Amino acid sequence: MPVYETDEPILYERRGTTAWIAFNRPSFANSQNGQLLYALDAAFARAVDDAEVRAIVLHGKGKHFSSGHDIGSPGRDADLPVKARKSLWGDHSQLDGAAKAYVREQELYLGLCRRWREIPKPTIAAVHGACIAGGLMLAWVCDLIVASRDAYFSDPVLRMGIPGVEYFAHAFEMHPRVAREFLFLGDRMTAQRAYELGMVNRVVERDDLESEAGAIAERLATLPPFGVTLAKQVFNQAEDLMGKRAAMDASFHAHHLAHAHAQLTTGSTIGGQDARSMADSARKE
Ligand code: ZN
């Protein structure tokens, strides 16, 4: 059984018309377990339900935004049944073979990210420190990204034999040539480089991150809410007409072929201990 280090992996705070939602697992670099992801889903739902809230900022407590999916903390809860908020695939823990991870990740990773991308209120990711792998997914589902100068982005999962994270937006977030380098080499992309590529809207000093994200949220709050919702839909539809959704479905299947291959060849869907120690060392920085 997982041992959770906190009952509040997500913090929710209202400041005026803005809902501030924070990852709160700083001792594990805000890595994402099921507990955190369902708490995040509840926080987003709370912000949507509150008529006073006109914009949402997603940020992280501690040194990092998010180091990705939890693959090694005592709170790793990958074997607990998923709640099927997004899908009706049922309890993945009753399944075996490739179905187990496939169903869990359809719900918890791909499904929830798509749900959050469609939140009717504008969302801003305020990113500092590490934004790695699964961390990228949660920045990418937001409408705008503000990064502090110390922020960096990377998707190193190809080193585990996995062709990118579950929400494969890489070739839409940056030029496909750059995205290839990003994934193949797995290097850290600085906030400045991400800004130059258009993946990030603003780069500010670390001390100015909250004030900048908050100021943008307050400007968004002055817009007609339904108009903003429609604008979000228009962008989502435009991206999907450019093939985003279909590309993501195709890459999700490749992702799970890779998980199954890793399981057959190493006994672990993420390629054994090498991947774990790699993730641990990233978190210790
Ligand atoms: Zn996966």
Side-chain angles (χ1 to χ4, degrees):
M1 287 296 288
V3 179
Y4 293 132
E5 80 286 358
T6 176
D7 294 332
E8 290 189 300
I10 292 289
L11 300 179
Y12 184 96
E13 183 188 353
R14 257 253 333 251
R15 300 182 202 164
T17 53
T18 304
W20 288 77
I21 296 174
F23 301 122
N24 187 38
R25 298 190 72 206
S27 50
F28 298 104
N30 293 327
S31 70
Q32 304 162 23
N33 55 10
Q35 178 207 32
L36 177 143
L37 291 168
Y38 281 118
L40 178 58
D41 190 59
F44 279 138
R46 183 174 168 187
V48 169
D49 286 343
D50 185 342
E52 304 282 308
V53 168
R54 303 285 288 272
I56 300 165
V57 176
L58 180 63
H59 63 136
K61 295 291 180 189
K63 287 167 65 180
H64 303 289
F65 178 75
S66 174
S67 61
H69 297 145
D70 187 341
I71 56 175
S73 93
R76 182 171 193 263
D77 54 8
D79 292 328
L80 292 187
V82 294
K83 294 181 183 173
R85 286 273 193 283
K86 173 62 186 175
S87 61
L88 286 172
W89 288 95
D91 175 4
H92 79 295
S93 68
Q94 303 296 317
L95 303 172
D96 56 13
K100 188 169 185 168
Y102 183 91
V103 167
R104 179 172 184 272
E105 296 196 350
Q106 273 282 2
E107 158 69 18
L108 213 52
Y109 297 158
L110 181 61
L112 285 181
C113 278
R114 280 179 164 164
R115 171 170 155 102
W116 299 332
R117 176 184 178 239
E118 292 166 6
I119 288 170
K121 300 184 181 184
T123 50
I124 303 165
V127 179
H128 74 289
C131 181
I132 303 173
L136 292 168
M137 295 166 44
L138 294 187
W140 285 345
V141 297
C142 292
D143 294 304
L144 302 174
I145 303 176
V146 181
S148 60
R149 213 163 285 290
D150 66 304
Y152 63 89
F153 304 84
S154 76
D155 187 357
V157 302
L158 191 52
R159 294 175 195 168
M160 309 177 197
I162 310 290
V165 288
E166 292 81 3
Y167 183 86
F168 192 90
H170 306 57
F172 292 86
E173 293 289 344
M174 55 193 105
H175 189 286
R177 187 76 60 205
V178 178
R180 279 180 168 84
E181 180 186 344
F182 184 72
L183 187 58
F184 286 9
L185 300 184
D187 290 339
R188 294 177 177 187
M189 178 181 283
T190 64
Q192 182 60 31
R193 172 80 166 139
Y195 173 74
E196 288 161 6
L197 296 169
M199 195 181 94
V200 157
N201 297 91
R202 307 253 170 102
V203 180
V204 296
E205 299 303 325
R206 176 74 185 86
D207 287 346
D208 298 331
L209 183 62
E210 285 200 14
S211 59
E212 185 69 19
I216 295 172
E218 283 172 21
R219 285 186 60 187
L220 294 170
T222 65
L223 296 169
F226 188 49
V228 176
T229 301
L230 294 175
K232 284 194 68 153
Q233 286 189 335
V234 167
F235 277 112
N236 286 344
Q237 286 160 350
E239 287 181 314
D240 289 345
L241 286 168
M242 289 187 269
K244 188 175 189 177
R245 189 177 182 91
M248 222 173 250
D249 283 334
S251 64
F252 188 81
H253 292 128
H255 180 97
H256 276 275
L257 178 59
H259 273 321
H261 182 70
Q263 179 79 46
L264 286 168
T265 54
T266 71
S268 160
T269 56
I270 53 172
Q273 292 305 312
D274 282 355
R276 238 178 223 120
S277 61
M278 191 181 79
D280 285 347
S281 67
R283 268 164 212 159
K284 283 186 185 118
E285 286 176 27

